[in-house]
PDB file of all heavy atoms in Angstrom:
ATOM      1  N   GLY A 283     -10.787 -66.501 -51.043  1.00  0.00           N
ATOM      2  CA  GLY A 283     -12.182 -66.306 -50.697  1.00  0.00           C
ATOM      3  C   GLY A 283     -13.171 -67.034 -51.459  1.00  0.00           C
ATOM      4  O   GLY A 283     -14.141 -67.535 -50.892  1.00  0.00           O
ATOM      5  N   VAL A 284     -12.960 -67.266 -52.739  1.00  0.00           N
ATOM      6  CA  VAL A 284     -13.844 -67.991 -53.613  1.00  0.00           C
ATOM      7  C   VAL A 284     -13.832 -69.428 -53.179  1.00  0.00           C
ATOM      8  O   VAL A 284     -14.928 -70.066 -53.053  1.00  0.00           O
ATOM      9  CB  VAL A 284     -13.519 -67.758 -55.084  1.00  0.00           C
ATOM     10  CG1 VAL A 284     -14.297 -68.764 -55.951  1.00  0.00           C
ATOM     11  CG2 VAL A 284     -13.669 -66.406 -55.569  1.00  0.00           C
ATOM     12  N   SER A 285     -12.701 -70.035 -53.019  1.00  0.00           N
ATOM     13  CA  SER A 285     -12.529 -71.374 -52.553  1.00  0.00           C
ATOM     14  C   SER A 285     -13.251 -71.578 -51.166  1.00  0.00           C
ATOM     15  O   SER A 285     -13.951 -72.582 -50.954  1.00  0.00           O
ATOM     16  CB  SER A 285     -11.145 -71.944 -52.474  1.00  0.00           C
ATOM     17  OG  SER A 285     -10.539 -71.776 -53.780  1.00  0.00           O
ATOM     18  N   LEU A 286     -12.977 -70.582 -50.228  1.00  0.00           N
ATOM     19  CA  LEU A 286     -13.642 -70.707 -48.973  1.00  0.00           C
ATOM     20  C   LEU A 286     -15.142 -70.644 -49.114  1.00  0.00           C
ATOM     21  O   LEU A 286     -15.879 -71.407 -48.375  1.00  0.00           O
ATOM     22  CB  LEU A 286     -13.078 -69.535 -48.068  1.00  0.00           C
ATOM     23  CG  LEU A 286     -13.776 -69.366 -46.696  1.00  0.00           C
ATOM     24  CD1 LEU A 286     -13.657 -70.651 -45.833  1.00  0.00           C
ATOM     25  CD2 LEU A 286     -13.084 -68.203 -45.968  1.00  0.00           C
ATOM     26  N   CYS A 287     -15.644 -69.820 -49.944  1.00  0.00           N
ATOM     27  CA  CYS A 287     -17.055 -69.675 -50.180  1.00  0.00           C
ATOM     28  C   CYS A 287     -17.667 -71.024 -50.617  1.00  0.00           C
ATOM     29  O   CYS A 287     -18.706 -71.497 -50.046  1.00  0.00           O
ATOM     30  CB  CYS A 287     -17.365 -68.687 -51.177  1.00  0.00           C
ATOM     31  SG  CYS A 287     -19.194 -68.427 -51.521  1.00  0.00           S
ATOM     32  N   ARG A 288     -16.966 -71.710 -51.506  1.00  0.00           N
ATOM     33  CA  ARG A 288     -17.378 -73.090 -51.950  1.00  0.00           C
ATOM     34  C   ARG A 288     -17.453 -74.005 -50.830  1.00  0.00           C
ATOM     35  O   ARG A 288     -18.380 -74.906 -50.755  1.00  0.00           O
ATOM     36  CB  ARG A 288     -16.474 -73.542 -53.047  1.00  0.00           C
ATOM     37  CG  ARG A 288     -16.605 -72.840 -54.379  1.00  0.00           C
ATOM     38  CD  ARG A 288     -15.911 -73.630 -55.551  1.00  0.00           C
ATOM     39  NE  ARG A 288     -16.011 -72.976 -56.772  1.00  0.00           N
ATOM     40  CZ  ARG A 288     -14.948 -72.255 -57.280  1.00  0.00           C
ATOM     41  NH1 ARG A 288     -13.800 -72.232 -56.649  1.00  0.00           N
ATOM     42  NH2 ARG A 288     -15.113 -71.561 -58.475  1.00  0.00           N
ATOM     43  N   ARG A 289     -16.365 -74.048 -49.976  1.00  0.00           N
ATOM     44  CA  ARG A 289     -16.386 -74.917 -48.858  1.00  0.00           C
ATOM     45  C   ARG A 289     -17.538 -74.656 -47.877  1.00  0.00           C
ATOM     46  O   ARG A 289     -18.168 -75.668 -47.363  1.00  0.00           O
ATOM     47  CB  ARG A 289     -15.051 -74.744 -48.128  1.00  0.00           C
ATOM     48  CG  ARG A 289     -13.803 -75.134 -48.951  1.00  0.00           C
ATOM     49  CD  ARG A 289     -13.592 -76.615 -49.127  1.00  0.00           C
ATOM     50  NE  ARG A 289     -13.145 -77.173 -47.935  1.00  0.00           N
ATOM     51  CZ  ARG A 289     -11.751 -77.295 -47.599  1.00  0.00           C
ATOM     52  NH1 ARG A 289     -10.859 -76.748 -48.453  1.00  0.00           N
ATOM     53  NH2 ARG A 289     -11.348 -77.922 -46.482  1.00  0.00           N
ATOM     54  N   ILE A 290     -17.793 -73.452 -47.652  1.00  0.00           N
ATOM     55  CA  ILE A 290     -18.865 -73.041 -46.738  1.00  0.00           C
ATOM     56  C   ILE A 290     -20.156 -73.463 -47.396  1.00  0.00           C
ATOM     57  O   ILE A 290     -21.139 -74.028 -46.664  1.00  0.00           O
ATOM     58  CB  ILE A 290     -18.855 -71.483 -46.457  1.00  0.00           C
ATOM     59  CG1 ILE A 290     -17.757 -71.072 -45.566  1.00  0.00           C
ATOM     60  CG2 ILE A 290     -20.218 -71.105 -45.840  1.00  0.00           C
ATOM     61  CD1 ILE A 290     -17.596 -69.755 -45.342  1.00  0.00           C
ATOM     62  N   ARG A 291     -20.388 -73.213 -48.683  1.00  0.00           N
ATOM     63  CA  ARG A 291     -21.611 -73.605 -49.337  1.00  0.00           C
ATOM     64  C   ARG A 291     -21.808 -75.082 -49.396  1.00  0.00           C
ATOM     65  O   ARG A 291     -22.905 -75.604 -49.368  1.00  0.00           O
ATOM     66  CB  ARG A 291     -21.609 -73.015 -50.741  1.00  0.00           C
ATOM     67  CG  ARG A 291     -22.960 -73.052 -51.437  1.00  0.00           C
ATOM     68  CD  ARG A 291     -24.112 -72.315 -50.576  1.00  0.00           C
ATOM     69  NE  ARG A 291     -24.014 -70.949 -50.583  1.00  0.00           N
ATOM     70  CZ  ARG A 291     -24.108 -70.215 -49.472  1.00  0.00           C
ATOM     71  NH1 ARG A 291     -24.124 -70.761 -48.319  1.00  0.00           N
ATOM     72  NH2 ARG A 291     -24.075 -68.954 -49.489  1.00  0.00           N
ATOM     73  N   ASP A 292     -20.722 -75.925 -49.348  1.00  0.00           N
ATOM     74  CA  ASP A 292     -20.917 -77.324 -49.329  1.00  0.00           C
ATOM     75  C   ASP A 292     -21.529 -77.797 -48.025  1.00  0.00           C
ATOM     76  O   ASP A 292     -22.062 -78.910 -47.842  1.00  0.00           O
ATOM     77  CB  ASP A 292     -19.527 -78.057 -49.373  1.00  0.00           C
ATOM     78  CG  ASP A 292     -18.980 -78.023 -50.839  1.00  0.00           C
ATOM     79  OD1 ASP A 292     -19.815 -77.767 -51.749  1.00  0.00           O
ATOM     80  OD2 ASP A 292     -17.771 -78.116 -51.076  1.00  0.00           O
ATOM     81  N   GLU A 293     -21.415 -76.908 -46.931  1.00  0.00           N
ATOM     82  CA  GLU A 293     -21.782 -77.394 -45.611  1.00  0.00           C
ATOM     83  C   GLU A 293     -23.023 -76.637 -45.083  1.00  0.00           C
ATOM     84  O   GLU A 293     -23.611 -77.004 -44.100  1.00  0.00           O
ATOM     85  CB  GLU A 293     -20.624 -77.185 -44.616  1.00  0.00           C
ATOM     86  CG  GLU A 293     -19.357 -77.950 -44.993  1.00  0.00           C
ATOM     87  CD  GLU A 293     -18.201 -77.610 -43.979  1.00  0.00           C
ATOM     88  OE1 GLU A 293     -18.439 -77.022 -42.936  1.00  0.00           O
ATOM     89  OE2 GLU A 293     -17.144 -77.903 -44.351  1.00  0.00           O
ATOM     90  N   SER A 294     -23.321 -75.512 -45.685  1.00  0.00           N
ATOM     91  CA  SER A 294     -24.280 -74.609 -45.092  1.00  0.00           C
ATOM     92  C   SER A 294     -24.915 -73.667 -46.106  1.00  0.00           C
ATOM     93  O   SER A 294     -24.323 -73.344 -47.158  1.00  0.00           O
ATOM     94  CB  SER A 294     -23.631 -73.735 -44.013  1.00  0.00           C
ATOM     95  OG  SER A 294     -24.534 -72.708 -43.474  1.00  0.00           O
ATOM     96  N   THR A 295     -26.127 -73.172 -45.810  1.00  0.00           N
ATOM     97  CA  THR A 295     -26.736 -72.074 -46.660  1.00  0.00           C
ATOM     98  C   THR A 295     -26.614 -70.689 -46.019  1.00  0.00           C
ATOM     99  O   THR A 295     -27.332 -69.786 -46.360  1.00  0.00           O
ATOM    100  CB  THR A 295     -28.316 -72.452 -46.816  1.00  0.00           C
ATOM    101  OG1 THR A 295     -28.927 -72.493 -45.541  1.00  0.00           O
ATOM    102  CG2 THR A 295     -28.354 -73.711 -47.551  1.00  0.00           C
ATOM    103  N   VAL A 296     -25.761 -70.651 -44.986  1.00  0.00           N
ATOM    104  CA  VAL A 296     -25.471 -69.268 -44.419  1.00  0.00           C
ATOM    105  C   VAL A 296     -25.173 -68.195 -45.421  1.00  0.00           C
ATOM    106  O   VAL A 296     -24.522 -68.553 -46.462  1.00  0.00           O
ATOM    107  CB  VAL A 296     -24.324 -69.436 -43.354  1.00  0.00           C
ATOM    108  CG1 VAL A 296     -23.019 -69.644 -44.096  1.00  0.00           C
ATOM    109  CG2 VAL A 296     -24.230 -68.095 -42.512  1.00  0.00           C
ATOM    110  N   PRO A 297     -25.749 -67.027 -45.284  1.00  0.00           N
ATOM    111  CA  PRO A 297     -25.496 -66.054 -46.308  1.00  0.00           C
ATOM    112  C   PRO A 297     -24.014 -65.662 -46.358  1.00  0.00           C
ATOM    113  O   PRO A 297     -23.306 -65.546 -45.301  1.00  0.00           O
ATOM    114  CB  PRO A 297     -26.355 -64.804 -45.848  1.00  0.00           C
ATOM    115  CG  PRO A 297     -26.672 -65.052 -44.462  1.00  0.00           C
ATOM    116  CD  PRO A 297     -26.641 -66.553 -44.335  1.00  0.00           C
ATOM    117  N   VAL A 298     -23.464 -65.354 -47.639  1.00  0.00           N
ATOM    118  CA  VAL A 298     -22.186 -64.984 -47.807  1.00  0.00           C
ATOM    119  C   VAL A 298     -22.067 -63.756 -48.706  1.00  0.00           C
ATOM    120  O   VAL A 298     -22.743 -63.613 -49.761  1.00  0.00           O
ATOM    121  CB  VAL A 298     -21.356 -66.130 -48.587  1.00  0.00           C
ATOM    122  CG1 VAL A 298     -19.897 -65.719 -48.910  1.00  0.00           C
ATOM    123  CG2 VAL A 298     -21.381 -67.340 -47.715  1.00  0.00           C
ATOM    124  N   ILE A 299     -21.294 -62.708 -48.278  1.00  0.00           N
ATOM    125  CA  ILE A 299     -20.976 -61.561 -49.086  1.00  0.00           C
ATOM    126  C   ILE A 299     -19.481 -61.588 -49.355  1.00  0.00           C
ATOM    127  O   ILE A 299     -18.700 -61.635 -48.554  1.00  0.00           O
ATOM    128  CB  ILE A 299     -21.373 -60.289 -48.342  1.00  0.00           C
ATOM    129  CG1 ILE A 299     -22.842 -60.212 -47.985  1.00  0.00           C
ATOM    130  CG2 ILE A 299     -20.864 -59.133 -49.091  1.00  0.00           C
ATOM    131  CD1 ILE A 299     -23.278 -59.009 -47.323  1.00  0.00           C
ATOM    132  N   MET A 300     -19.207 -61.454 -50.646  1.00  0.00           N
ATOM    133  CA  MET A 300     -17.802 -61.387 -51.027  1.00  0.00           C
ATOM    134  C   MET A 300     -17.312 -59.960 -51.122  1.00  0.00           C
ATOM    135  O   MET A 300     -18.100 -59.073 -51.496  1.00  0.00           O
ATOM    136  CB  MET A 300     -17.628 -62.043 -52.434  1.00  0.00           C
ATOM    137  CG  MET A 300     -17.988 -63.458 -52.633  1.00  0.00           C
ATOM    138  SD  MET A 300     -17.119 -64.572 -51.566  1.00  0.00           S
ATOM    139  CE  MET A 300     -15.499 -64.486 -52.222  1.00  0.00           C
ATOM    140  N   LEU A 301     -16.081 -59.752 -50.785  1.00  0.00           N
ATOM    141  CA  LEU A 301     -15.474 -58.392 -50.820  1.00  0.00           C
ATOM    142  C   LEU A 301     -14.250 -58.495 -51.687  1.00  0.00           C
ATOM    143  O   LEU A 301     -13.535 -59.394 -51.696  1.00  0.00           O
ATOM    144  CB  LEU A 301     -14.890 -58.026 -49.386  1.00  0.00           C
ATOM    145  CG  LEU A 301     -15.966 -58.071 -48.254  1.00  0.00           C
ATOM    146  CD1 LEU A 301     -15.232 -57.790 -46.853  1.00  0.00           C
ATOM    147  CD2 LEU A 301     -17.075 -57.100 -48.467  1.00  0.00           C
ATOM    148  N   SER A 302     -14.240 -57.542 -52.645  1.00  0.00           N
ATOM    149  CA  SER A 302     -13.236 -57.491 -53.706  1.00  0.00           C
ATOM    150  C   SER A 302     -12.561 -56.174 -53.877  1.00  0.00           C
ATOM    151  O   SER A 302     -13.368 -55.137 -53.842  1.00  0.00           O
ATOM    152  CB  SER A 302     -13.706 -58.023 -55.092  1.00  0.00           C
ATOM    153  OG  SER A 302     -12.792 -57.843 -56.022  1.00  0.00           O
ATOM    154  N   ALA A 303     -11.312 -56.030 -54.075  1.00  0.00           N
ATOM    155  CA  ALA A 303     -10.621 -54.775 -54.264  1.00  0.00           C
ATOM    156  C   ALA A 303     -10.883 -54.263 -55.712  1.00  0.00           C
ATOM    157  O   ALA A 303     -10.584 -53.226 -56.092  1.00  0.00           O
ATOM    158  CB  ALA A 303      -9.165 -54.784 -54.022  1.00  0.00           C
ATOM    159  N   ARG A 304     -11.418 -55.158 -56.557  1.00  0.00           N
ATOM    160  CA  ARG A 304     -11.649 -54.824 -57.946  1.00  0.00           C
ATOM    161  C   ARG A 304     -13.140 -55.015 -58.271  1.00  0.00           C
ATOM    162  O   ARG A 304     -13.680 -55.955 -57.720  1.00  0.00           O
ATOM    163  CB  ARG A 304     -10.718 -55.559 -58.851  1.00  0.00           C
ATOM    164  CG  ARG A 304      -9.264 -55.345 -58.648  1.00  0.00           C
ATOM    165  CD  ARG A 304      -8.536 -56.331 -59.630  1.00  0.00           C
ATOM    166  NE  ARG A 304      -8.806 -57.696 -59.351  1.00  0.00           N
ATOM    167  CZ  ARG A 304      -8.351 -58.715 -60.101  1.00  0.00           C
ATOM    168  NH1 ARG A 304      -7.687 -58.436 -61.272  1.00  0.00           N
ATOM    169  NH2 ARG A 304      -8.627 -60.012 -59.805  1.00  0.00           N
ATOM    170  N   ALA A 305     -13.620 -54.292 -59.117  1.00  0.00           N
ATOM    171  CA  ALA A 305     -15.088 -54.477 -59.698  1.00  0.00           C
ATOM    172  C   ALA A 305     -14.915 -55.400 -60.902  1.00  0.00           C
ATOM    173  O   ALA A 305     -15.884 -55.325 -61.759  1.00  0.00           O
ATOM    174  CB  ALA A 305     -15.729 -53.182 -59.908  1.00  0.00           C
ATOM    175  N   ASP A 306     -13.835 -56.149 -61.055  1.00  0.00           N
ATOM    176  CA  ASP A 306     -13.626 -56.959 -62.195  1.00  0.00           C
ATOM    177  C   ASP A 306     -14.806 -57.945 -62.363  1.00  0.00           C
ATOM    178  O   ASP A 306     -15.310 -58.650 -61.374  1.00  0.00           O
ATOM    179  CB  ASP A 306     -12.361 -57.804 -61.940  1.00  0.00           C
ATOM    180  CG  ASP A 306     -11.404 -57.659 -63.117  1.00  0.00           C
ATOM    181  OD1 ASP A 306     -11.612 -56.862 -63.950  1.00  0.00           O
ATOM    182  OD2 ASP A 306     -10.464 -58.497 -63.200  1.00  0.00           O
ATOM    183  N   SER A 307     -15.255 -58.177 -63.593  1.00  0.00           N
ATOM    184  CA  SER A 307     -16.307 -59.151 -63.835  1.00  0.00           C
ATOM    185  C   SER A 307     -15.873 -60.517 -63.380  1.00  0.00           C
ATOM    186  O   SER A 307     -16.775 -61.276 -62.866  1.00  0.00           O
ATOM    187  CB  SER A 307     -16.634 -59.122 -65.339  1.00  0.00           C
ATOM    188  OG  SER A 307     -17.194 -57.926 -65.762  1.00  0.00           O
ATOM    189  N   ILE A 308     -14.599 -60.879 -63.534  1.00  0.00           N
ATOM    190  CA  ILE A 308     -14.150 -62.245 -63.211  1.00  0.00           C
ATOM    191  C   ILE A 308     -14.301 -62.388 -61.716  1.00  0.00           C
ATOM    192  O   ILE A 308     -14.849 -63.394 -61.235  1.00  0.00           O
ATOM    193  CB  ILE A 308     -12.740 -62.488 -63.666  1.00  0.00           C
ATOM    194  CG1 ILE A 308     -12.571 -62.417 -65.148  1.00  0.00           C
ATOM    195  CG2 ILE A 308     -12.189 -63.738 -63.108  1.00  0.00           C
ATOM    196  CD1 ILE A 308     -11.220 -62.623 -65.656  1.00  0.00           C
ATOM    197  N   ASP A 309     -13.853 -61.449 -60.823  1.00  0.00           N
ATOM    198  CA  ASP A 309     -13.979 -61.575 -59.409  1.00  0.00           C
ATOM    199  C   ASP A 309     -15.428 -61.670 -59.028  1.00  0.00           C
ATOM    200  O   ASP A 309     -15.773 -62.549 -58.211  1.00  0.00           O
ATOM    201  CB  ASP A 309     -13.432 -60.329 -58.784  1.00  0.00           C
ATOM    202  CG  ASP A 309     -11.918 -60.391 -58.666  1.00  0.00           C
ATOM    203  OD1 ASP A 309     -11.320 -61.458 -58.953  1.00  0.00           O
ATOM    204  OD2 ASP A 309     -11.243 -59.361 -58.366  1.00  0.00           O
ATOM    205  N   VAL A 310     -16.338 -60.826 -59.557  1.00  0.00           N
ATOM    206  CA  VAL A 310     -17.652 -60.827 -59.233  1.00  0.00           C
ATOM    207  C   VAL A 310     -18.300 -62.098 -59.548  1.00  0.00           C
ATOM    208  O   VAL A 310     -19.012 -62.767 -58.694  1.00  0.00           O
ATOM    209  CB  VAL A 310     -18.419 -59.627 -59.893  1.00  0.00           C
ATOM    210  CG1 VAL A 310     -19.885 -59.730 -59.657  1.00  0.00           C
ATOM    211  CG2 VAL A 310     -17.855 -58.362 -59.347  1.00  0.00           C
ATOM    212  N   VAL A 311     -18.172 -62.555 -60.871  1.00  0.00           N
ATOM    213  CA  VAL A 311     -18.903 -63.830 -61.273  1.00  0.00           C
ATOM    214  C   VAL A 311     -18.388 -65.008 -60.585  1.00  0.00           C
ATOM    215  O   VAL A 311     -19.137 -65.868 -60.145  1.00  0.00           O
ATOM    216  CB  VAL A 311     -18.711 -63.896 -62.820  1.00  0.00           C
ATOM    217  CG1 VAL A 311     -19.291 -65.215 -63.283  1.00  0.00           C
ATOM    218  CG2 VAL A 311     -19.492 -62.734 -63.534  1.00  0.00           C
ATOM    219  N   LEU A 312     -17.069 -65.139 -60.344  1.00  0.00           N
ATOM    220  CA  LEU A 312     -16.455 -66.250 -59.632  1.00  0.00           C
ATOM    221  C   LEU A 312     -17.032 -66.362 -58.287  1.00  0.00           C
ATOM    222  O   LEU A 312     -17.465 -67.491 -57.808  1.00  0.00           O
ATOM    223  CB  LEU A 312     -15.001 -66.233 -59.605  1.00  0.00           C
ATOM    224  CG  LEU A 312     -14.260 -66.634 -60.962  1.00  0.00           C
ATOM    225  CD1 LEU A 312     -12.663 -66.427 -60.707  1.00  0.00           C
ATOM    226  CD2 LEU A 312     -14.512 -68.038 -61.384  1.00  0.00           C
ATOM    227  N   GLY A 313     -17.141 -65.233 -57.543  1.00  0.00           N
ATOM    228  CA  GLY A 313     -17.715 -65.312 -56.247  1.00  0.00           C
ATOM    229  C   GLY A 313     -19.110 -65.717 -56.151  1.00  0.00           C
ATOM    230  O   GLY A 313     -19.552 -66.506 -55.349  1.00  0.00           O
ATOM    231  N   LEU A 314     -19.908 -65.178 -57.092  1.00  0.00           N
ATOM    232  CA  LEU A 314     -21.340 -65.472 -57.156  1.00  0.00           C
ATOM    233  C   LEU A 314     -21.506 -66.898 -57.547  1.00  0.00           C
ATOM    234  O   LEU A 314     -22.388 -67.618 -56.986  1.00  0.00           O
ATOM    235  CB  LEU A 314     -22.068 -64.489 -58.113  1.00  0.00           C
ATOM    236  CG  LEU A 314     -22.082 -63.042 -57.694  1.00  0.00           C
ATOM    237  CD1 LEU A 314     -22.712 -62.223 -58.725  1.00  0.00           C
ATOM    238  CD2 LEU A 314     -22.904 -62.915 -56.420  1.00  0.00           C
ATOM    239  N   GLU A 315     -20.744 -67.373 -58.543  1.00  0.00           N
ATOM    240  CA  GLU A 315     -20.847 -68.800 -58.982  1.00  0.00           C
ATOM    241  C   GLU A 315     -20.549 -69.774 -57.920  1.00  0.00           C
ATOM    242  O   GLU A 315     -20.973 -70.909 -57.829  1.00  0.00           O
ATOM    243  CB  GLU A 315     -20.058 -68.997 -60.163  1.00  0.00           C
ATOM    244  CG  GLU A 315     -20.661 -68.360 -61.451  1.00  0.00           C
ATOM    245  CD  GLU A 315     -19.803 -68.669 -62.738  1.00  0.00           C
ATOM    246  OE1 GLU A 315     -18.650 -69.045 -62.582  1.00  0.00           O
ATOM    247  OE2 GLU A 315     -20.363 -68.502 -63.814  1.00  0.00           O
ATOM    248  N   ALA A 316     -19.598 -69.358 -56.942  1.00  0.00           N
ATOM    249  CA  ALA A 316     -19.214 -70.190 -55.838  1.00  0.00           C
ATOM    250  C   ALA A 316     -20.259 -70.373 -54.824  1.00  0.00           C
ATOM    251  O   ALA A 316     -20.170 -71.179 -53.893  1.00  0.00           O
ATOM    252  CB  ALA A 316     -17.948 -69.582 -55.249  1.00  0.00           C
ATOM    253  N   GLY A 317     -21.347 -69.452 -54.868  1.00  0.00           N
ATOM    254  CA  GLY A 317     -22.499 -69.496 -53.979  1.00  0.00           C
ATOM    255  C   GLY A 317     -22.679 -68.263 -53.135  1.00  0.00           C
ATOM    256  O   GLY A 317     -23.499 -68.296 -52.328  1.00  0.00           O
ATOM    257  N   ALA A 318     -21.926 -67.292 -53.378  1.00  0.00           N
ATOM    258  CA  ALA A 318     -22.143 -65.992 -52.627  1.00  0.00           C
ATOM    259  C   ALA A 318     -23.443 -65.379 -53.032  1.00  0.00           C
ATOM    260  O   ALA A 318     -23.952 -65.571 -54.082  1.00  0.00           O
ATOM    261  CB  ALA A 318     -21.006 -65.032 -52.952  1.00  0.00           C
ATOM    262  N   ASP A 319     -24.066 -64.661 -52.040  1.00  0.00           N
ATOM    263  CA  ASP A 319     -25.328 -64.085 -52.235  1.00  0.00           C
ATOM    264  C   ASP A 319     -25.284 -62.696 -52.685  1.00  0.00           C
ATOM    265  O   ASP A 319     -26.177 -62.120 -53.304  1.00  0.00           O
ATOM    266  CB  ASP A 319     -26.098 -64.152 -50.896  1.00  0.00           C
ATOM    267  CG  ASP A 319     -26.381 -65.579 -50.386  1.00  0.00           C
ATOM    268  OD1 ASP A 319     -27.275 -66.193 -50.949  1.00  0.00           O
ATOM    269  OD2 ASP A 319     -25.654 -66.035 -49.589  1.00  0.00           O
ATOM    270  N   ASP A 320     -24.123 -61.972 -52.433  1.00  0.00           N
ATOM    271  CA  ASP A 320     -23.909 -60.606 -52.863  1.00  0.00           C
ATOM    272  C   ASP A 320     -22.404 -60.348 -52.765  1.00  0.00           C
ATOM    273  O   ASP A 320     -21.627 -61.128 -52.351  1.00  0.00           O
ATOM    274  CB  ASP A 320     -24.666 -59.712 -51.851  1.00  0.00           C
ATOM    275  CG  ASP A 320     -25.035 -58.311 -52.467  1.00  0.00           C
ATOM    276  OD1 ASP A 320     -24.438 -58.047 -53.554  1.00  0.00           O
ATOM    277  OD2 ASP A 320     -25.725 -57.543 -51.804  1.00  0.00           O
ATOM    278  N   TYR A 321     -22.054 -59.172 -53.222  1.00  0.00           N
ATOM    279  CA  TYR A 321     -20.697 -58.742 -53.189  1.00  0.00           C
ATOM    280  C   TYR A 321     -20.582 -57.284 -53.021  1.00  0.00           C
ATOM    281  O   TYR A 321     -21.530 -56.478 -53.344  1.00  0.00           O
ATOM    282  CB  TYR A 321     -19.952 -59.175 -54.455  1.00  0.00           C
ATOM    283  CG  TYR A 321     -20.084 -58.224 -55.633  1.00  0.00           C
ATOM    284  CD1 TYR A 321     -19.090 -57.168 -55.858  1.00  0.00           C
ATOM    285  CD2 TYR A 321     -21.123 -58.312 -56.445  1.00  0.00           C
ATOM    286  CE1 TYR A 321     -19.283 -56.257 -56.860  1.00  0.00           C
ATOM    287  CE2 TYR A 321     -21.351 -57.378 -57.542  1.00  0.00           C
ATOM    288  CZ  TYR A 321     -20.413 -56.421 -57.748  1.00  0.00           C
ATOM    289  OH  TYR A 321     -20.597 -55.547 -58.785  1.00  0.00           O
ATOM    290  N   VAL A 322     -19.425 -56.869 -52.351  1.00  0.00           N
ATOM    291  CA  VAL A 322     -19.200 -55.349 -52.154  1.00  0.00           C
ATOM    292  C   VAL A 322     -17.778 -55.034 -52.637  1.00  0.00           C
ATOM    293  O   VAL A 322     -16.842 -55.854 -52.348  1.00  0.00           O
ATOM    294  CB  VAL A 322     -19.321 -54.985 -50.681  1.00  0.00           C
ATOM    295  CG1 VAL A 322     -18.887 -53.549 -50.458  1.00  0.00           C
ATOM    296  CG2 VAL A 322     -20.793 -55.226 -50.214  1.00  0.00           C
TER     297      VAL A 322
END
């Protein structure tokens, strides 16, 4: 999902929400740094 978010962000500013089974800081930060706008 993080790599997919980066690919989407390379092509578009469409909003992205990441979904994670863990509230791990690494998951959250990696997703946001990849260009996600929010996470659940």
Side-chain angles (χ1 to χ4, degrees):
V284 173
S285 299
L286 176 56
C287 181
R288 289 195 183 99
R289 298 283 285 274
I290 289 175
R291 194 53 75 229
D292 286 341
E293 303 176 16
S294 172
T295 59
V296 67
V298 175
I299 296 178
M300 302 298 298
L301 306 175
S302 173
R304 300 178 297 171
D306 229 13
S307 294
I308 293 177
D309 282 350
V310 172
V311 172
L312 284 177
L314 295 172
E315 287 181 343
D319 299 281
D320 202 352
Y321 82 96
V322 175

